[in-house]
Amino acid sequence: MCRLFGLSSAPQRTRATFWLLDAPDSLSRQSHRDPDGTGLGYFGPGGTPHVHKAPIAAYDDRSFAEEARQVESATFLAHIRFASTGGLKARNTHPFEQDGRLFAHNGVIEGLDRLEARLGPDRASVEGDTDSERFFALVTRETRAHGGDITAGIEHAAQWIARNLPVYSLNLVLTTRDELWALRYPETHELYVLRRVAGGHHGTRHLDHSGTAGRMRVHSPDLTDVPAVVVASEAMDDNPHWESMAPGELLHVGPDLGVTRRTVLPDEPAHRLTLDDLRPEAAASQQPA
């Protein structure tokens, strides 16, 4: 299953070090499928988005992905990909960038011919082969149609897909230079949020997160003194304040770390997919890592 991680410390820029892929030992290599790609997105001081990403199609790709990367930003977005659609190419690796925004998705959407028809000329913004990037293009299109309102863009794009296309999961994280959005839909995959006070719940600790699958680690000494909001596919430390987002819930973290949460998809997808409905490679990508 793909792993999502988003963090905002806005308006403060903070330093964080990411390890997006730990080298597994022989036992874990036998018992877990290897990821197909890793990516890290953040924003420079002037708001320019930056993305480091690589497919994992060869040893050299894996070596690139295993390197520790220290970056500074007010928002961060990391993703570990288990491919469901699209080959092992950089253009299919998350996060994606459009209109100065970064986006990553965990799930499967089918009926991509209908989605492309909905996009019309906006299909030109899609460079790769994935359902995820096409979903992002629809979010971008709807955001423009609603006067730059990203919340409305996500809501209307997800609602159209839920009504019209076969859906397994639409979990996403989207970031700008000082804002973050997350959607969980439906209940297929978990998505957790943590409103972390400076120093964590002990009051004196830096951020040191590690997923149980051993694929992603995040370390930030600056968060000893700075609060943050974190969104992740799993609770990544022992902080008791992790909360599971509700199915259909859209979360927004503003430029002052203000959090709003609202259910925007109260109903089941009109054409809900199960694992048995998916192509074998898509089904494999949605299994726990």
Side-chain angles (χ1 to χ4, degrees):
M1 182 180 74
C2 297
R3 302 282 171 172
L4 291 168
F5 179 91
L7 185 151
S8 175
S9 60
Q12 300 295 319
R13 290 178 60 81
T14 51
R15 293 164 298 150
T17 302
F18 289 79
W19 295 263
L20 295 184
L21 180 65
D22 286 344
D25 59 29
S26 59
L27 179 61
S28 63
R29 186 178 289 277
Q30 292 172 5
S31 60
H32 298 295
R33 177 188 171 189
D34 277 343
D36 297 310
T38 69
L40 170 64
Y42 60 99
F43 292 83
T48 302
H50 298 275
V51 177
H52 296 292
K53 61 183 181 179
I56 303 177
Y59 176 79
D60 288 345
D61 297 333
R62 187 179 188 94
S63 297
F64 172 89
E66 287 174 352
E67 293 177 4
R69 300 191 177 275
Q70 184 177 89
V71 295
E72 182 178 274
S73 184
T75 61
F76 304 88
L77 176 56
H79 183 270
I80 295 177
R81 181 185 186 222
F82 291 82
S84 58
T85 60
L88 304 186
K89 305 289 185 181
R91 66 174 185 266
N92 294 326
T93 305
H94 308 224
F96 303 101
E97 186 270 323
Q98 294 178 13
D99 283 7
R101 308 178 192 112
L102 300 176
F103 175 96
H105 165 236
N106 175 22
V108 177
I109 306 165
E110 295 188 351
L112 298 188
D113 54 340
R114 295 187 63 193
L115 180 50
E116 290 186 350
R118 178 73 173 179
L119 287 172
D122 294 307
R123 168 70 177 81
S125 66
V126 177
E127 298 179 355
D129 311 307
T130 65
D131 53 347
S132 303
E133 192 182 10
R134 285 158 175 77
F135 181 15
F136 186 22
L138 187 60
V139 170
T140 300
R141 178 180 184 271
E142 292 296 326
T143 297
R144 290 175 185 155
H146 289 83
D149 185 335
I150 298 172
T151 300
I154 295 171
E155 180 176 348
H156 283 82
Q159 288 174 345
W160 185 87
I161 290 173
R163 289 193 306 266
N164 293 281
L165 302 181
V167 169
Y168 186 74
S169 174
L170 296 182
N171 285 14
L172 68 86
V173 177
L174 186 154
T175 57
T176 64
R177 62 182 295 179
D178 57 4
E179 296 181 80
L180 180 151
W181 288 259
L183 173 70
R184 180 189 177 200
Y185 182 75
E187 77 276 6
T188 312
H189 296 315
E190 293 282 357
L191 197 58
Y192 292 89
V193 59
L194 172 65
R195 299 182 70 170
R196 188 182 193 273
V197 299
H201 71 286
H202 296 285
T204 58
R205 294 187 179 178
H206 57 254
L207 180 139
D208 194 2
H209 282 179
S210 181
T212 58
R215 302 294 193 184
M216 184 188 298
R217 291 186 292 146
V218 186
H219 178 83
S220 175
D222 289 354
L223 293 184
T224 303
D225 304 308
V226 176
V229 178
V230 184
V231 175
S233 297
E234 59 180 324
M236 295 182 67
D237 67 1
D238 63 354
N239 194 310
H241 300 298
W242 285 97
E243 296 179 60
S244 177
M245 290 178 59
E249 182 178 29
L250 176 61
L251 175 142
H252 172 231
V253 184
D256 58 355
L257 286 190
V259 174
T260 59
R261 302 170 68 169
R262 183 165 60 92
T263 298
V264 298
L265 290 162
D267 302 319
E268 286 275 303
H271 310 284
R272 181 163 183 174
L273 297 169
T274 68
L275 279 177
D276 290 340
D277 297 321
L278 302 180
R279 292 169 289 107
E281 60 272 26
S285 76
Q286 300 303 305
Q287 300 279 12

